[in-house]
Amino acid sequence: MRLAPLQRVRIIGPSFLLLVFGLVVSGTESSDYSESEVLPDSYPSAPAEPLPEFLLEPEDAFIVKNRPVQLRCRASPATQIYFKCNGEWVNQNDHVTRESLDQVTGLVVREVDISVSRTQVEELFGLEDYWCQCVAWSSAGTTKSNRAYVRIAYLRKNFEQEPLGREVQLEQEVLLQCRPPEGMPAAEVDWLKNEDIIDPSQDSNFLITIDHNLIIKQARLSDTANYTCVARNVVARRRSSTATLIVYVSGGWSSWTEWSECNVPCGPGWQRRTRSCTNPAPLNGGIFCEGLSVQRVTCTTLCPVDGGWTQWAKWSACGTECTHWRSRECQDPLPRNGGKHCSGSMMESKNCTEGLCARNKKVSLEHASHPLSPGMGVAVYTGLVVALLLTVVMALGVGVLAYRRRCRHFHGDITDSSSALTAAFHPGNYKPPRQDNTLHPSAPPDLTATAGTFRGPLFSLPQGINDSPHKIPMTTSPLLDPLPSLKIKVYNSSTLSSLELPADMGLGDGEILSLKSVGTVGREREFHSHTLSREPGLSTSATLGHLGGRLTIPNTGVSLLVPPGTIPQGKFYEMYLIINKWDKTTLPSEGSQTVLSPVVSCGPSGMLLKRPVVLTLPHCAQLDTPTPDWTLTLKTQTHQGAWEEVLTVGEESLSSPCYLQLEEECCHVLMEQLGTYGLVGQSCPPRPACKRLQLALFAPRAPCLSLDYSLRIYCIHDTPQALKEVMDLERSLGGVLIEDPKPLLFKDSYHNLRLSIHDIPHNHWRSKLLAKYQEIPFYHIWSGSQRPLHCTFSLERASLAVSQLACKICVRQVEGEGQIFQLHTDIQETLPPHSPLPSASTCLPSSQVGPYAFRLPDSIRHKICASLDAPSARGCDWRLLARSLGFDRSGLSLVLISGVWSIKLKVSVPF
């Protein structure tokens, strides 16, 4: 190859070459030019071509087994391009060259490939690895690429160090060492836990060091597993021997129980107290608790001593009544330690003259000489009869007064509001008249006229000597004005089909439209742009008008109250209330938020409301702490399915679209727009919040005809709706609730819920669970996105003759609270179904229409409002009522939820 001239061109430069070329040309021309002519100062030159630039350089490669590798490079502009390997030029015939033209710059682009085989690499002698580089030429000079090294890949079979199994205590740090086999390229290492790859980014308790060791920061019971070190590169994949890690828990004593009663009722004995090795219980070979589980101490119980009489004293002197007496005392011995008192008389008297007393005879003669006259006998007997009749009449009067005080109610279907007012606003239960339905004898009775039960005084102020400035002057108030006679007429309008009645029907405020309530809707109606599915027992609907009403889903704690005047006069709407099932809706929680209430839809959406309605939702937030642990948010769902925040509790303002009153187990939402709502929350730093959960234990319905037997424990929200959903699910699966649900406070601490079964009689039963316990991940419970959550303990009995099962099931949050189920049952004995939910006969009706849906008549509500509307300098107005009821939030609407009044606070000054 002729490379020297090209290198000289690069050194000399194109300008000098053109000058020399011009001189040579001028010297060879004819002698037309005379020697006296002078050369010009400069000559025009062609544009300089740049040096080659590599668009693609060869890369390092590994020969796997006997497969050759391909090296490629690309340069522009390039007139020639070749490979040089280990300082020697590769044969031109071994190059595969391609040439193209860059469409942007117009320069020539050359690309060349060569193949390097395993034989070429192995034939190289020396310490240096086999390398190749690319050289490109242009008219401006040459350019060399970086070196690309070609090596033979391999991976040895044996690990330099393999992990070793061990037993560690709970929360101890664990180090599992692994040094992979030698290889080219260096092997990458993965760790397997029970054949699953460990990802430290998913579980921060694991750490893989730079030298491939595995560190478990704090050993958990769930870390008991088989661990394997896996090394891999482009050639092969090697597995180390499996190391078994066992995390054991040493037992800890529980607290001592209270001392038992003395074992003997009288005299010396002993009493005992116990403790158990369950705090925690030893697991996986952990050390059992040291010390005694039972303590005994001696005790002495004082024996009861019955009283005894002393000897009779001497007889006294004979008195003027011709009698004398004597006495004795209960002091031989005195009754002690609960002993019986002496029985009998303490004094005794008798005649001391043996019947010869002159005074007694005189009196007897006088009585004998004056017998009772007939007129006096009649008068005596008449007086006795009159006294007896008066006693009976007084007893009846007292009984009637006691009965009225206990069961004060609105009699029949006509209510006098004045009498209700004088009865201190304590209405009782209203019993609706019987309605005979000859056309539909199987139809359910009309429950729309049933009133709820109001317990306790509506509003009271502490009475005392110094409270006179705070008393409301009722004598000058319109509250005690005579009320008009309020009579409520009941109409049966179940045949009405139109939602808007003509105005000439003349329905007044005192008239109710008794409508048939729908508990389980059999037909589908589209109230939104999308169809809402109605599950049996999770929905209700009713046709409501100007008088308002209440929709209630039984056994769920969900209700919707529509005050009078909410719907315009003369209009009627088919209103509904639906609890959305968790598997058919998008939950409103995001991030660290948790769902605290059922997702409820009320409608129809877009309905024009003249007054706010009250939606009641149960929740499972624990609110009994002195400092707030929750940030609670009410969310609503748009027609597109997205969730939007409506308000945050405690941050309401005058522009808030609704108001939320929070109680320990439910919340009341005052709103003017119907739709889909749900309550979510998250912890308020620095203290973690707690959710109230319920643990429900179910077993197969007896008798059990199989050797297999399963126990299912559900972890659900502590709300009536969640328990009802699980009861319905288990009823369809053939399960029965064998014990009352137990409460559990679940803390926002990122710790899982752990379930384990203990004290199984191994002679007759065997557990199919391979691990010592089961766990429900924290996020599954906290997010509320998976319902219902449960764990199953599968057992197998030795024979069909075994019917008794006694065991203990422990459920607790790691580093949190827990509960224990003590199970002792006969699986062949058919027990009556156990249900903590109220029966159908005690449930409130699913809908109530008109005045009977409210605890106070409309006239009384108006008079109460008129009495408190006028501002008082002494504060005897809405401000005092709001402060006493705990609704004193500045500038907000006040709604007395407990009395179900539709009242707005009209005071703008701060409290």
Side-chain angles (χ1 to χ4, degrees), residues 223-242:
D223 295 328
T224 299
N226 294 325
Y227 293 85
T228 308
C229 182
V230 178
R232 55 182 173 82
N233 65 2
V234 294
V235 179
R237 185 173 182 265
R238 313 289 187 204
R239 291 170 57 98
S240 69
S241 59
T242 299

mmCIF file with all atom_site columns, all heavy atoms in Angstrom, residues 223-242:
data_model
loop_
_atom_site.group_PDB
_atom_site.id
_atom_site.type_symbol
_atom_site.label_atom_id
_atom_site.label_alt_id
_atom_site.label_comp_id
_atom_site.label_asym_id
_atom_site.label_entity_id
_atom_site.label_seq_id
_atom_site.pdbx_PDB_ins_code
_atom_site.Cartn_x
_atom_site.Cartn_y
_atom_site.Cartn_z
_atom_site.occupancy
_atom_site.B_iso_or_equiv
_atom_site.pdbx_formal_charge
_atom_site.auth_seq_id
_atom_site.auth_comp_id
_atom_site.auth_asym_id
_atom_site.auth_atom_id
_atom_site.pdbx_PDB_model_num
ATOM 1   N N   . ASP A 1 223 ? -39.522 -13.341 56.351 1.00 0.00 ? 223 ASP A N   1
ATOM 2   C CA  . ASP A 1 223 ? -38.237 -13.570 55.701 1.00 0.00 ? 223 ASP A CA  1
ATOM 3   C C   . ASP A 1 223 ? -37.758 -15.000 55.872 1.00 0.00 ? 223 ASP A C   1
ATOM 4   O O   . ASP A 1 223 ? -36.673 -15.356 55.379 1.00 0.00 ? 223 ASP A O   1
ATOM 5   C CB  . ASP A 1 223 ? -37.183 -12.601 56.255 1.00 0.00 ? 223 ASP A CB  1
ATOM 6   C CG  . ASP A 1 223 ? -37.510 -11.155 55.920 1.00 0.00 ? 223 ASP A CG  1
ATOM 7   O OD1 . ASP A 1 223 ? -38.107 -10.936 54.859 1.00 0.00 ? 223 ASP A OD1 1
ATOM 8   O OD2 . ASP A 1 223 ? -37.178 -10.263 56.719 1.00 0.00 ? 223 ASP A OD2 1
ATOM 9   N N   . THR A 1 224 ? -38.489 -15.834 56.591 1.00 0.00 ? 224 THR A N   1
ATOM 10  C CA  . THR A 1 224 ? -38.153 -17.257 56.678 1.00 0.00 ? 224 THR A CA  1
ATOM 11  C C   . THR A 1 224 ? -38.392 -17.880 55.315 1.00 0.00 ? 224 THR A C   1
ATOM 12  O O   . THR A 1 224 ? -39.527 -17.993 54.856 1.00 0.00 ? 224 THR A O   1
ATOM 13  C CB  . THR A 1 224 ? -39.017 -17.937 57.749 1.00 0.00 ? 224 THR A CB  1
ATOM 14  O OG1 . THR A 1 224 ? -38.762 -17.326 59.019 1.00 0.00 ? 224 THR A OG1 1
ATOM 15  C CG2 . THR A 1 224 ? -38.695 -19.420 57.832 1.00 0.00 ? 224 THR A CG2 1
ATOM 16  N N   . ALA A 1 225 ? -37.287 -18.296 54.634 1.00 0.00 ? 225 ALA A N   1
ATOM 17  C CA  . ALA A 1 225 ? -37.409 -18.777 53.255 1.00 0.00 ? 225 ALA A CA  1
ATOM 18  C C   . ALA A 1 225 ? -36.092 -19.415 52.842 1.00 0.00 ? 225 ALA A C   1
ATOM 19  O O   . ALA A 1 225 ? -35.108 -19.453 53.604 1.00 0.00 ? 225 ALA A O   1
ATOM 20  C CB  . ALA A 1 225 ? -37.770 -17.625 52.306 1.00 0.00 ? 225 ALA A CB  1
ATOM 21  N N   . ASN A 1 226 ? -36.075 -19.923 51.595 1.00 0.00 ? 226 ASN A N   1
ATOM 22  C CA  . ASN A 1 226 ? -34.866 -20.470 50.970 1.00 0.00 ? 226 ASN A CA  1
ATOM 23  C C   . ASN A 1 226 ? -34.275 -19.407 50.045 1.00 0.00 ? 226 ASN A C   1
ATOM 24  O O   . ASN A 1 226 ? -34.976 -18.883 49.173 1.00 0.00 ? 226 ASN A O   1
ATOM 25  C CB  . ASN A 1 226 ? -35.196 -21.732 50.175 1.00 0.00 ? 226 ASN A CB  1
ATOM 26  C CG  . ASN A 1 226 ? -35.663 -22.866 51.059 1.00 0.00 ? 226 ASN A CG  1
ATOM 27  O OD1 . ASN A 1 226 ? -35.180 -23.008 52.181 1.00 0.00 ? 226 ASN A OD1 1
ATOM 28  N ND2 . ASN A 1 226 ? -36.611 -23.669 50.571 1.00 0.00 ? 226 ASN A ND2 1
ATOM 29  N N   . TYR A 1 227 ? -32.989 -19.105 50.222 1.00 0.00 ? 227 TYR A N   1
ATOM 30  C CA  . TYR A 1 227 ? -32.314 -18.069 49.463 1.00 0.00 ? 227 TYR A CA  1
ATOM 31  C C   . TYR A 1 227 ? -31.252 -18.706 48.564 1.00 0.00 ? 227 TYR A C   1
ATOM 32  O O   . TYR A 1 227 ? -30.503 -19.600 49.005 1.00 0.00 ? 227 TYR A O   1
ATOM 33  C CB  . TYR A 1 227 ? -31.675 -17.045 50.394 1.00 0.00 ? 227 TYR A CB  1
ATOM 34  C CG  . TYR A 1 227 ? -32.678 -16.221 51.165 1.00 0.00 ? 227 TYR A CG  1
ATOM 35  C CD1 . TYR A 1 227 ? -33.216 -16.683 52.366 1.00 0.00 ? 227 TYR A CD1 1
ATOM 36  C CD2 . TYR A 1 227 ? -33.120 -14.999 50.686 1.00 0.00 ? 227 TYR A CD2 1
ATOM 37  C CE1 . TYR A 1 227 ? -34.159 -15.936 53.060 1.00 0.00 ? 227 TYR A CE1 1
ATOM 38  C CE2 . TYR A 1 227 ? -34.058 -14.245 51.386 1.00 0.00 ? 227 TYR A CE2 1
ATOM 39  C CZ  . TYR A 1 227 ? -34.568 -14.725 52.565 1.00 0.00 ? 227 TYR A CZ  1
ATOM 40  O OH  . TYR A 1 227 ? -35.490 -13.977 53.258 1.00 0.00 ? 227 TYR A OH  1
ATOM 41  N N   . THR A 1 228 ? -31.193 -18.233 47.317 1.00 0.00 ? 228 THR A N   1
ATOM 42  C CA  . THR A 1 228 ? -30.264 -18.764 46.325 1.00 0.00 ? 228 THR A CA  1
ATOM 43  C C   . THR A 1 228 ? -29.574 -17.614 45.630 1.00 0.00 ? 228 THR A C   1
ATOM 44  O O   . THR A 1 228 ? -30.219 -16.618 45.271 1.00 0.00 ? 228 THR A O   1
ATOM 45  C CB  . THR A 1 228 ? -31.001 -19.633 45.287 1.00 0.00 ? 228 THR A CB  1
ATOM 46  O OG1 . THR A 1 228 ? -31.789 -20.611 45.955 1.00 0.00 ? 228 THR A OG1 1
ATOM 47  C CG2 . THR A 1 228 ? -30.005 -20.319 44.369 1.00 0.00 ? 228 THR A CG2 1
ATOM 48  N N   . CYS A 1 229 ? -28.262 -17.756 45.424 1.00 0.00 ? 229 CYS A N   1
ATOM 49  C CA  . CYS A 1 229 ? -27.468 -16.773 44.684 1.00 0.00 ? 229 CYS A CA  1
ATOM 50  C C   . CYS A 1 229 ? -27.326 -17.247 43.244 1.00 0.00 ? 229 CYS A C   1
ATOM 51  O O   . CYS A 1 229 ? -26.908 -18.395 43.001 1.00 0.00 ? 229 CYS A O   1
ATOM 52  C CB  . CYS A 1 229 ? -26.097 -16.609 45.354 1.00 0.00 ? 229 CYS A CB  1
ATOM 53  S SG  . CYS A 1 229 ? -25.039 -15.378 44.549 1.00 0.00 ? 229 CYS A SG  1
ATOM 54  N N   . VAL A 1 230 ? -27.663 -16.406 42.283 1.00 0.00 ? 230 VAL A N   1
ATOM 55  C CA  . VAL A 1 230 ? -27.628 -16.763 40.863 1.00 0.00 ? 230 VAL A CA  1
ATOM 56  C C   . VAL A 1 230 ? -26.652 -15.822 40.154 1.00 0.00 ? 230 VAL A C   1
ATOM 57  O O   . VAL A 1 230 ? -26.786 -14.596 40.241 1.00 0.00 ? 230 VAL A O   1
ATOM 58  C CB  . VAL A 1 230 ? -29.026 -16.653 40.231 1.00 0.00 ? 230 VAL A CB  1
ATOM 59  C CG1 . VAL A 1 230 ? -28.967 -16.977 38.746 1.00 0.00 ? 230 VAL A CG1 1
ATOM 60  C CG2 . VAL A 1 230 ? -30.008 -17.574 40.941 1.00 0.00 ? 230 VAL A CG2 1
ATOM 61  N N   . ALA A 1 231 ? -25.648 -16.415 39.462 1.00 0.00 ? 231 ALA A N   1
ATOM 62  C CA  . ALA A 1 231 ? -24.669 -15.649 38.681 1.00 0.00 ? 231 ALA A CA  1
ATOM 63  C C   . ALA A 1 231 ? -24.914 -15.909 37.198 1.00 0.00 ? 231 ALA A C   1
ATOM 64  O O   . ALA A 1 231 ? -25.158 -17.052 36.792 1.00 0.00 ? 231 ALA A O   1
ATOM 65  C CB  . ALA A 1 231 ? -23.248 -16.055 39.052 1.00 0.00 ? 231 ALA A CB  1
ATOM 66  N N   . ARG A 1 232 ? -24.812 -14.848 36.373 1.00 0.00 ? 232 ARG A N   1
ATOM 67  C CA  . ARG A 1 232 ? -25.106 -14.991 34.950 1.00 0.00 ? 232 ARG A CA  1
ATOM 68  C C   . ARG A 1 232 ? -24.281 -13.987 34.149 1.00 0.00 ? 232 ARG A C   1
ATOM 69  O O   . ARG A 1 232 ? -23.955 -12.904 34.627 1.00 0.00 ? 232 ARG A O   1
ATOM 70  C CB  . ARG A 1 232 ? -26.585 -14.762 34.678 1.00 0.00 ? 232 ARG A CB  1
ATOM 71  C CG  . ARG A 1 232 ? -27.115 -13.444 35.172 1.00 0.00 ? 232 ARG A CG  1
ATOM 72  C CD  . ARG A 1 232 ? -28.581 -13.275 34.923 1.00 0.00 ? 232 ARG A CD  1
ATOM 73  N NE  . ARG A 1 232 ? -29.110 -12.079 35.556 1.00 0.00 ? 232 ARG A NE  1
ATOM 74  C CZ  . ARG A 1 232 ? -29.030 -10.853 35.050 1.00 0.00 ? 232 ARG A CZ  1
ATOM 75  N NH1 . ARG A 1 232 ? -28.440 -10.673 33.874 1.00 0.00 ? 232 ARG A NH1 1
ATOM 76  N NH2 . ARG A 1 232 ? -29.532 -9.805  35.694 1.00 0.00 ? 232 ARG A NH2 1
ATOM 77  N N   . ASN A 1 233 ? -23.895 -14.425 32.911 1.00 0.00 ? 233 ASN A N   1
ATOM 78  C CA  . ASN A 1 233 ? -23.343 -13.531 31.900 1.00 0.00 ? 233 ASN A CA  1
ATOM 79  C C   . ASN A 1 233 ? -23.790 -14.032 30.544 1.00 0.00 ? 233 ASN A C   1
ATOM 80  O O   . ASN A 1 233 ? -24.724 -14.831 30.451 1.00 0.00 ? 233 ASN A O   1
ATOM 81  C CB  . ASN A 1 233 ? -21.811 -13.420 32.029 1.00 0.00 ? 233 ASN A CB  1
ATOM 82  C CG  . ASN A 1 233 ? -21.098 -14.731 31.749 1.00 0.00 ? 233 ASN A CG  1
ATOM 83  O OD1 . ASN A 1 233 ? -21.727 -15.740 31.419 1.00 0.00 ? 233 ASN A OD1 1
ATOM 84  N ND2 . ASN A 1 233 ? -19.781 -14.734 31.898 1.00 0.00 ? 233 ASN A ND2 1
ATOM 85  N N   . VAL A 1 234 ? -23.130 -13.594 29.474 1.00 0.00 ? 234 VAL A N   1
ATOM 86  C CA  . VAL A 1 234 ? -23.594 -13.936 28.130 1.00 0.00 ? 234 VAL A CA  1
ATOM 87  C C   . VAL A 1 234 ? -23.394 -15.406 27.809 1.00 0.00 ? 234 VAL A C   1
ATOM 88  O O   . VAL A 1 234 ? -23.975 -15.914 26.848 1.00 0.00 ? 234 VAL A O   1
ATOM 89  C CB  . VAL A 1 234 ? -22.863 -13.062 27.085 1.00 0.00 ? 234 VAL A CB  1
ATOM 90  C CG1 . VAL A 1 234 ? -23.241 -11.604 27.247 1.00 0.00 ? 234 VAL A CG1 1
ATOM 91  C CG2 . VAL A 1 234 ? -21.360 -13.250 27.166 1.00 0.00 ? 234 VAL A CG2 1
ATOM 92  N N   . VAL A 1 235 ? -22.576 -16.104 28.603 1.00 0.00 ? 235 VAL A N   1
ATOM 93  C CA  . VAL A 1 235 ? -22.276 -17.503 28.295 1.00 0.00 ? 235 VAL A CA  1
ATOM 94  C C   . VAL A 1 235 ? -23.239 -18.448 28.987 1.00 0.00 ? 235 VAL A C   1
ATOM 95  O O   . VAL A 1 235 ? -23.840 -19.326 28.382 1.00 0.00 ? 235 VAL A O   1
ATOM 96  C CB  . VAL A 1 235 ? -20.819 -17.835 28.705 1.00 0.00 ? 235 VAL A CB  1
ATOM 97  C CG1 . VAL A 1 235 ? -20.510 -19.290 28.401 1.00 0.00 ? 235 VAL A CG1 1
ATOM 98  C CG2 . VAL A 1 235 ? -19.862 -16.921 27.987 1.00 0.00 ? 235 VAL A CG2 1
ATOM 99  N N   . ALA A 1 236 ? -23.412 -18.276 30.318 1.00 0.00 ? 236 ALA A N   1
ATOM 100 C CA  . ALA A 1 236 ? -24.165 -19.264 31.078 1.00 0.00 ? 236 ALA A CA  1
ATOM 101 C C   . ALA A 1 236 ? -24.783 -18.602 32.305 1.00 0.00 ? 236 ALA A C   1
ATOM 102 O O   . ALA A 1 236 ? -24.577 -17.414 32.579 1.00 0.00 ? 236 ALA A O   1
ATOM 103 C CB  . ALA A 1 236 ? -23.267 -20.431 31.488 1.00 0.00 ? 236 ALA A CB  1
ATOM 104 N N   . ARG A 1 237 ? -25.537 -19.436 33.060 1.00 0.00 ? 237 ARG A N   1
ATOM 105 C CA  . ARG A 1 237 ? -26.200 -19.018 34.306 1.00 0.00 ? 237 ARG A CA  1
ATOM 106 C C   . ARG A 1 237 ? -25.941 -20.088 35.353 1.00 0.00 ? 237 ARG A C   1
ATOM 107 O O   . ARG A 1 237 ? -26.226 -21.262 35.131 1.00 0.00 ? 237 ARG A O   1
ATOM 108 C CB  . ARG A 1 237 ? -27.699 -18.860 34.070 1.00 0.00 ? 237 ARG A CB  1
ATOM 109 C CG  . ARG A 1 237 ? -28.498 -18.321 35.244 1.00 0.00 ? 237 ARG A CG  1
ATOM 110 C CD  . ARG A 1 237 ? -29.923 -18.072 34.783 1.00 0.00 ? 237 ARG A CD  1
ATOM 111 N NE  . ARG A 1 237 ? -30.754 -17.511 35.846 1.00 0.00 ? 237 ARG A NE  1
ATOM 112 C CZ  . ARG A 1 237 ? -31.537 -18.241 36.647 1.00 0.00 ? 237 ARG A CZ  1
ATOM 113 N NH1 . ARG A 1 237 ? -31.578 -19.562 36.481 1.00 0.00 ? 237 ARG A NH1 1
ATOM 114 N NH2 . ARG A 1 237 ? -32.265 -17.673 37.592 1.00 0.00 ? 237 ARG A NH2 1
ATOM 115 N N   . ARG A 1 238 ? -25.378 -19.703 36.501 1.00 0.00 ? 238 ARG A N   1
ATOM 116 C CA  . ARG A 1 238 ? -25.020 -20.654 37.548 1.00 0.00 ? 238 ARG A CA  1
ATOM 117 C C   . ARG A 1 238 ? -25.831 -20.346 38.813 1.00 0.00 ? 238 ARG A C   1
ATOM 118 O O   . ARG A 1 238 ? -26.072 -19.183 39.143 1.00 0.00 ? 238 ARG A O   1
ATOM 119 C CB  . ARG A 1 238 ? -23.535 -20.565 37.898 1.00 0.00 ? 238 ARG A CB  1
ATOM 120 C CG  . ARG A 1 238 ? -22.600 -20.555 36.702 1.00 0.00 ? 238 ARG A CG  1
ATOM 121 C CD  . ARG A 1 238 ? -22.534 -21.893 36.015 1.00 0.00 ? 238 ARG A CD  1
ATOM 122 N NE  . ARG A 1 238 ? -21.524 -21.914 34.970 1.00 0.00 ? 238 ARG A NE  1
ATOM 123 C CZ  . ARG A 1 238 ? -21.524 -22.738 33.936 1.00 0.00 ? 238 ARG A CZ  1
ATOM 124 N NH1 . ARG A 1 238 ? -22.520 -23.625 33.822 1.00 0.00 ? 238 ARG A NH1 1
ATOM 125 N NH2 . ARG A 1 238 ? -20.572 -22.694 33.043 1.00 0.00 ? 238 ARG A NH2 1
ATOM 126 N N   . ARG A 1 239 ? -26.260 -21.417 39.527 1.00 0.00 ? 239 ARG A N   1
ATOM 127 C CA  . ARG A 1 239 ? -26.989 -21.292 40.789 1.00 0.00 ? 239 ARG A CA  1
ATOM 128 C C   . ARG A 1 239 ? -26.149 -21.848 41.917 1.00 0.00 ? 239 ARG A C   1
ATOM 129 O O   . ARG A 1 239 ? -25.537 -22.913 41.787 1.00 0.00 ? 239 ARG A O   1
ATOM 130 C CB  . ARG A 1 239 ? -28.316 -22.062 40.738 1.00 0.00 ? 239 ARG A CB  1
ATOM 131 C CG  . ARG A 1 239 ? -29.352 -21.471 39.827 1.00 0.00 ? 239 ARG A CG  1
ATOM 132 C CD  . ARG A 1 239 ? -30.523 -22.446 39.671 1.00 0.00 ? 239 ARG A CD  1
ATOM 133 N NE  . ARG A 1 239 ? -31.104 -22.790 40.957 1.00 0.00 ? 239 ARG A NE  1
ATOM 134 C CZ  . ARG A 1 239 ? -32.192 -22.223 41.464 1.00 0.00 ? 239 ARG A CZ  1
ATOM 135 N NH1 . ARG A 1 239 ? -32.812 -21.283 40.772 1.00 0.00 ? 239 ARG A NH1 1
ATOM 136 N NH2 . ARG A 1 239 ? -32.666 -22.588 42.640 1.00 0.00 ? 239 ARG A NH2 1
ATOM 137 N N   . SER A 1 240 ? -26.159 -21.133 43.012 1.00 0.00 ? 240 SER A N   1
ATOM 138 C CA  . SER A 1 240 ? -25.457 -21.628 44.188 1.00 0.00 ? 240 SER A CA  1
ATOM 139 C C   . SER A 1 240 ? -26.349 -22.625 44.926 1.00 0.00 ? 240 SER A C   1
ATOM 140 O O   . SER A 1 240 ? -27.514 -22.821 44.579 1.00 0.00 ? 240 SER A O   1
ATOM 141 C CB  . SER A 1 240 ? -25.103 -20.463 45.112 1.00 0.00 ? 240 SER A CB  1
ATOM 142 O OG  . SER A 1 240 ? -26.282 -19.932 45.696 1.00 0.00 ? 240 SER A OG  1
ATOM 143 N N   . SER A 1 241 ? -25.797 -23.260 45.922 1.00 0.00 ? 241 SER A N   1
ATOM 144 C CA  . SER A 1 241 ? -26.614 -24.113 46.787 1.00 0.00 ? 241 SER A CA  1
ATOM 145 C C   . SER A 1 241 ? -27.585 -23.233 47.580 1.00 0.00 ? 241 SER A C   1
ATOM 146 O O   . SER A 1 241 ? -27.307 -22.067 47.871 1.00 0.00 ? 241 SER A O   1
ATOM 147 C CB  . SER A 1 241 ? -25.723 -24.917 47.724 1.00 0.00 ? 241 SER A CB  1
ATOM 148 O OG  . SER A 1 241 ? -24.932 -24.046 48.520 1.00 0.00 ? 241 SER A OG  1
ATOM 149 N N   . THR A 1 242 ? -28.737 -23.792 47.944 1.00 0.00 ? 242 THR A N   1
ATOM 150 C CA  . THR A 1 242 ? -29.783 -23.033 48.634 1.00 0.00 ? 242 THR A CA  1
ATOM 151 C C   . THR A 1 242 ? -29.456 -22.909 50.121 1.00 0.00 ? 242 THR A C   1
ATOM 152 O O   . THR A 1 242 ? -29.070 -23.881 50.769 1.00 0.00 ? 242 THR A O   1
ATOM 153 C CB  . THR A 1 242 ? -31.135 -23.723 48.462 1.00 0.00 ? 242 THR A CB  1
ATOM 154 O OG1 . THR A 1 242 ? -31.448 -23.772 47.060 1.00 0.00 ? 242 THR A OG1 1
ATOM 155 C CG2 . THR A 1 242 ? -32.229 -22.964 49.190 1.00 0.00 ? 242 THR A CG2 1
#
